[in-house]
Amino acid sequence: MASKTMQIKPCFAKTPVAQSPRSSTHAFAAPSHKRIAVSSRRATQSSSRRTLKVVSKSGEMYSSDPFADNPPKKVVLAYSGGLDTSVILAWLRDQYGCEVITFTADLGQGEELEPARKKAEDFGVKDIYIDDLREEFVRDYVFPMFRANAVYEGVYLLGTSIARPLIAKRQIEIAKELGADAVCHGATGKGNDQVRFELGYYALKPDVKVVAPWRIWDLNSRTKLCAYAEANGIDVPMSKKQEAPYSMDANLLHISYEGNALEDPWVAPDESMFTRSVSPEQAPDEPTIIEIDFEKGDPVAIDGERLSPASMLAKLNTLGGDNGVGRIDLVESRFVGMKSRGVYETPGGTVLYYAHRAMESITLDRGALHLKDEMAPKYAELIYNGMWFSPERIMMQKAIDESQKYCTGTVRLKLYKGNVIIMGRKSEFSIYDPNLSTFEEDSVYDQKDAAGFIKLNALRLRTLAGMQPDIFGEM
């Protein structure tokens, strides 16, 4: 876990929040292009618009600044509109005198994003991007990952990890479009996100300058950060002057909680922390039964209703969360070398994971299925470590997608008090043959054939035991 001094909100990473009851389904709302315009930008500003005063420091670059001799001229900042990224915006201008372009991504985190536009306008930012990326996020990132059955260290469904390559890709696209020479993120120097963002940046634009303020500046405490904000005319709510009980990351796939009150892995989280699910104990006494239709490994309909990728995940979130599905509490191995305790809610993803495995069980050959199971931990590790844009991930994806050619059909599930229970599965491409599997008399399978099969498989064991009698120990 990050130390207490690091619990300051990086953009799209770990957002400090106060404890709150479960949020409404707004967090899972299907994309609405009326609410946020895709690739919206403001190229001109009103002459009456307030431009915040930037207070200079000593006039010298920090000794640890890699751009002291060649500062960036135009920077695309991953901007949430919160305190930390607002400070970063002011600091970039103060430090480098550069033009800043703000980019805010809607990944289904459940926050209203128009305030971010207003704050950027107040800074006098000329180019403001607010992009609704929910459909692309689920279709091109979440679904391919779920086709792989990727789970990190046996339990983590990679909700934070899978969002970073899309944010990085969009920043680089904007940088190329506007001729920016640099990009900037708000991830700290102690976590995984800095690695994930920057590997994406460099893969897509090898010559880009990457500004990571948390590795450069001296605003390394809440007090210093707030003082800098107030000196530059940035409003600092009273709640931001105190450390939050935990930090949070959210998107349409999941929500995570880390830090402070959660740093002791022996201490259970408070129930009031959870926002996307009820506790299994408080879930309804009556189960919810649903059917999910799959086409080539991707879910396409719930109970016969066809849904877009983002709408599909949003509905599964609601169904799973209402039944207490998808909570995990784990201590994970960070790529940067330390252990970290995290608590996650991934209701829709959990339902999808079990449903997809059930669909594969009747449509994939044993060899293909077992090879996929061998690949899944490596695939998950690549995503966790920020290697989405890597040749090995792309190679694995092609093999995985080939295996999904006939992964089409329907799975029936029961959601009940935190459990996902498979009740049935069917497919026109099913390779399950009841005539072969029956324990009754049949005319298809000759049981006498099994004797030769067993002897052939026992040959090497019998040879080994004959030549090396103690190979299996004293019996």
Side-chain angles (χ1 to χ4, degrees), residues 307-328:
L307 299 166
S308 72
S311 298
M312 166 68 65
L313 188 53
K315 186 164 184 177
L316 289 176
N317 277 332
T318 300
L319 291 166
D322 287 347
N323 287 278
V325 170
R327 293 185 182 185
I328 60 169

Side-chain angles (χ1 to χ4, degrees), residues 28-45:
F28 308 131
S32 171
H33 295 287
K34 293 181 180 179
R35 183 168 67 86
I36 289 288
V38 178
S39 297
S40 174
R41 54 183 288 209
R42 295 292 175 87
T44 60
Q45 302 297 313

Side-chain angles (χ1 to χ4, degrees), residues 50-353:
R50 177 172 64 93
T51 300
L52 299 178
K53 179 183 178 183
V54 176
V55 179
S56 63
K57 298 186 178 65
S58 63
E60 298 179 356
M61 295 290 186
Y62 297 120
S63 59
S64 62
D65 192 337
F67 307 112
D69 297 326
N70 185 23
K73 297 177 178 61
K74 186 183 289 189
V75 182
V76 181
L77 168 64
Y79 184 66
S80 70
L83 174 63
D84 293 11
T85 53
S86 294
V87 167
I88 289 174
L89 200 165
W91 178 86
L92 287 169
R93 291 175 165 177
D94 186 16
Q95 183 76 350
Y96 305 119
C98 61
E99 179 183 348
V100 179
I101 301 152
T102 61
F103 161 61
T104 306
D106 183 357
L107 297 175
Q109 56 265 46
E111 298 174 354
E112 182 57 51
L113 301 182
E114 280 300 326
R117 183 199 305 281
K118 179 61 169 63
K119 290 182 179 181
E121 290 173 349
D122 286 345
F123 272 101
V125 175
K126 290 194 304 180
D127 294 294
I128 300 169
Y129 284 75
I130 298 180
D131 291 4
D132 184 343
L133 301 177
R134 288 173 289 177
E135 290 292 352
E136 181 179 2
F137 173 53
V138 180
R139 181 189 65 240
D140 297 341
Y141 294 82
V142 174
F143 280 2
M145 181 177 72
F146 273 77
R147 291 197 293 269
N149 298 327
V151 183
Y152 184 69
E153 295 189 335
V155 286
Y156 176 37
L157 290 172
L158 299 161
T160 296
S161 315
I162 194 59
R164 301 314 183 222
L166 176 55
I167 294 171
K169 179 179 80 77
R170 188 67 188 116
Q171 278 185 270
I172 294 299
E173 288 172 347
I174 295 169
K176 290 179 178 179
E177 178 183 340
L178 299 184
D181 60 333
V183 290
C184 178
H185 63 76
T188 71
K190 202 172 185 179
N192 294 312
D193 280 343
Q194 59 180 336
V195 181
R196 295 164 180 158
F197 281 128
E198 296 180 34
L199 289 177
Y201 298 151
Y202 290 127
L204 300 175
K205 195 175 189 300
D207 62 341
V208 73
K209 294 176 181 176
V210 178
V211 183
W214 284 99
R215 302 201 300 258
I216 301 173
W217 66 17
D218 60 353
L219 305 177
N220 54 8
S221 70
R222 173 63 55 178
T223 300
K224 286 184 177 181
L225 195 82
C226 291
Y228 185 92
E230 291 173 341
N232 284 274
I234 301 171
D235 291 334
V236 182
M238 184 58 65
S239 62
K240 298 295 184 181
K241 295 182 179 181
Q242 302 173 351
E243 285 200 272
Y246 46 81
S247 61
M248 182 181 82
D249 168 74
N251 58 49
L252 195 52
L253 178 56
H254 90 152
I255 188 168
S256 68
Y257 312 90
E258 291 184 337
N260 289 359
L262 300 173
E263 288 181 353
D264 185 344
W266 183 251
V267 177
D270 191 274
E271 178 61 31
S272 64
M273 179 185 74
F274 296 96
T275 61
R276 294 196 175 181
S277 63
V278 300
S279 69
E281 295 86 350
Q282 296 300 316
D285 292 332
E286 293 296 320
T288 298
I289 298 175
I290 63 172
E291 292 184 1
I292 301 177
D293 295 337
F294 286 86
E295 291 180 2
K296 296 184 177 180
D298 291 341
V300 296
I302 298 176
D303 294 332
E305 179 188 4
R306 291 189 72 90
L307 299 166
S308 72
S311 298
M312 166 68 65
L313 188 53
K315 186 164 184 177
L316 289 176
N317 277 332
T318 300
L319 291 166
D322 287 347
N323 287 278
V325 170
R327 293 185 182 185
I328 60 169
D329 184 333
L330 73 148
V331 175
E332 67 198 63
S333 303
R334 284 186 177 176
F335 190 27
V336 293
M338 66 194 74
K339 291 285 187 178
S340 171
R341 193 264 187 104
V343 180
Y344 299 90
E345 291 178 272
T346 317
T350 302
V351 175
L352 177 56
Y353 173 79

Side-chain angles (χ1 to χ4, degrees), residues 362-376:
I362 61 170
T363 57
L364 263 67
D365 167 75
R366 180 186 67 181
L369 188 64
H370 290 187
L371 182 59
K372 271 190 86 252
D373 283 348
E374 291 178 20
M375 295 169 65

